[in-house]
Each structure stands twice: as C-alpha cells, then as structure tokens.
Amino acid sequence: MRIDILTLFPEMFTGVFGCSIISRAVKGGYLELHTHDIRDYSTDKHRRVDDYPFGGGAGMVMMVEPIARCIEQLKSERKYDLVLFMAPDGKTFDQNYANRLSLQENIMILCGHYKGVDERVRELFIDEEVSIGDYVLSGGEIAAMAIVDAVARIIPGVLHDETSALLDSFQDGLLSAPVYTRPADYQGYKVPEILLSGHQKKIDDWRLEQQLKRTQERRPDLLEDI
Ligand code: ADE
C-alpha cells in the first residue's frame, strides 16, 4: 500500500513515521509513505500558498492552484483509489474506516491549515473528508498521522503476532480485556488468579466476560451496534 501526504509541514511527519509500527511497516515493504510539500507547487516567487478570503473575515485560505498541481502531478504518475481531506467537519474516523483504508492500494491525504482550503479543492479533488473527532486541530497533519498509524498496524503481516491486531479494542466492537505481566504480585496488588491457571478455555471466557463488562461500563453505545 502507498500513502501520499500533501502538507505545508512535511517535517512534522519524520519523527512519527520513523518509529515503532509505522517504520516497521515501511521497512518490511508493506507500506510506502511519501510526503509532498505543497509550497513546491506554488508558482509565486515567495512560494505563497494562501491568500485572504473573498468576502473578508479572519484567517488565510489555502489556494486551489498549488494543491491542484500537486494532486494532478501525483495522479499522472499512478491511479489513486481515494483522495482524502482531513477536516473537522468530515466523517468521523473509526476502526471500520481504518479497516477499509487498509485494503486500498494507493491513497492520497491532503492536510489543510490556516482557515481552511478553497472550497473548490474539496469539490473538484476530494473523494472523502475525514475527521478524527469533534475538536479543531491547527492543521490536518496530526490527524493524518493518526490515520496512517491506525492503518499501518492492520496491514496483514505488519504485526508479528497476527492475532494481536484482531484482539484490539473496537476490532470486534468491544473494548479490550485488561492485561497484566510480571510481577504477579505488586505490593499486594495481585494479577487475577485465572490468568495464572494455565487453563486456556477459562482464560478466554474470563477475557470475553471482562470485555463485555468494560464495554457496558465505559461505552454502552458500542453494545447497541452489535
Ligand atoms: N483538522 C483540524 N481539525 C481536525 C480534526 N478534528 N480531524 C481531522 N482534521 C482536522
């Protein structure tokens, strides 16, 4: 899978893409990540990519031309399954959304900044608008990183233990069961006895019970969807 990210701040991605599961996915050849600086597509001598909004108002608006040139350049090189735009007024990202994206071959993600992007970008070039939650970030970059992370870890082969992504919170519509490791007794706070029993069937039953209990307590709305 290949993901191209269009941004005014490509340097924001270097740390996140160079660590942990995302870098493992890249190094293992499961995921190709490319960032593109939208300023490189400006024809202005000061590399301007934004301008004042028509009709007045606060904040600057990202111009259509540099973004259009960048998208068209990429589209001339390969076919894209989806062009996404990160926006707080988009469809809310969730595990099902991540699962669907992980099945695509080539995706483009446009990150907005300032007051927004010229509406014609959204009308002409964007297939889906995606939000990571009901709050406003200063730009789409952090949201795009969240999406890349959620997608990278479910590409088959990326995680060593094939089952671990499948046992995630939300993957089966339930929250995860609690997990423990050594020591079995931390200052009198003991690991549930059942997990030390070696009885796998009983452990699996206990975990499912815990999942249901947690989901009921913390996110009863998820149970309505099952
Ligand atoms: N850009 C600004 N806020 C955002 C959000 N909540 N989700 C996605 N992109 C954004």
Side-chain angles (χ1 to χ4, degrees):
M1 175 180 196
R2 173 180 171 126
I3 304 180
D4 289 271
I5 296 171
L6 284 57
T7 171
L8 293 175
F9 300 98
E11 65 280 9
M12 282 180 76
F13 292 85
T14 45
V16 170
F17 286 180
C19 296
S20 188
I21 303 296
I22 299 183
S23 89
R24 193 196 292 176
V26 171
K27 285 181 188 144
Y30 300 102
L31 180 61
E32 231 185 280
L33 295 172
H34 299 267
T35 52
H36 305 273
D37 189 341
I38 296 167
R39 278 185 206 284
D40 292 343
Y41 295 83
S42 168
T43 49
D44 177 80
K45 67 172 184 285
H46 302 295
R47 289 166 43 93
R48 271 187 69 170
V49 288
D50 60 333
D51 212 332
Y52 295 98
F54 280 125
M60 304 293 273
V61 177
M62 287 171 69
M63 294 186 287
V64 62
E65 285 123 318
I67 296 171
R69 271 193 287 273
C70 185
I71 293 176
E72 276 161 359
Q73 172 67 39
L74 288 170
K75 280 188 170 172
S76 74
E77 292 166 8
R78 72 196 57 75
K79 189 185 161 337
Y80 284 87
D81 304 300
L82 280 173
V83 181
L84 307 179
F85 174 55
M86 304 312 306
D89 55 356
K91 180 179 177 331
T92 307
F93 188 67
D94 61 11
Q95 191 62 50
N96 283 335
Y97 208 138
N99 293 347
R100 179 162 63 87
L101 292 184
S102 75
L103 302 174
Q104 310 300 320
E105 204 59 51
N106 297 315
I107 297 179
M108 226 188 278
I109 304 180
L110 171 65
C111 303
H113 242 272
Y114 310 123
K115 182 108 176 72
V117 306
D118 188 302
E119 189 63 20
R120 290 164 292 184
V121 170
R122 301 172 79 150
E123 286 166 9
L124 297 172
F125 299 106
I126 302 300
D127 299 314
E128 296 182 19
E129 304 182 325
V130 194
S131 163
I132 61 161
D134 288 342
Y135 41 84
V136 181
L137 301 166
S138 52
E141 284 76 10
I142 292 173
M145 289 177 212
I147 287 187
V148 171
D149 187 274
V151 169
R153 60 191 299 288
I154 52 176
I155 298 173
V158 170
L159 290 185
H160 285 318
D161 178 356
E162 282 284 44
T163 59
S164 70
L166 295 175
L167 293 180
D168 282 343
S169 281
F170 294 112
Q171 197 56 271
D172 54 7
L174 296 173
L175 301 186
S176 294
V179 293
Y180 299 86
T181 186
R182 285 186 293 176
D185 184 337
Y186 171 69
Q187 298 183 353
Y189 292 90
K190 296 198 174 72
V191 168
E193 204 63 45
I194 186 89
L195 296 177
L196 310 174
S197 70
H199 197 304
Q200 200 55 53
K201 167 82 174 76
K202 283 191 181 152
I203 292 171
D204 291 345
D205 289 348
W206 178 85
R207 285 187 170 145
L208 180 58
E209 200 181 287
Q210 292 294 314
Q211 282 191 276
L212 289 163
K213 183 164 168 281
R214 274 208 168 180
T215 311
Q216 181 63 55
E217 281 166 6
R218 301 177 186 198
R219 293 292 307 275
D221 57 300
L222 294 177
L223 293 173
E224 287 160 21
D225 300 337
I226 296 178

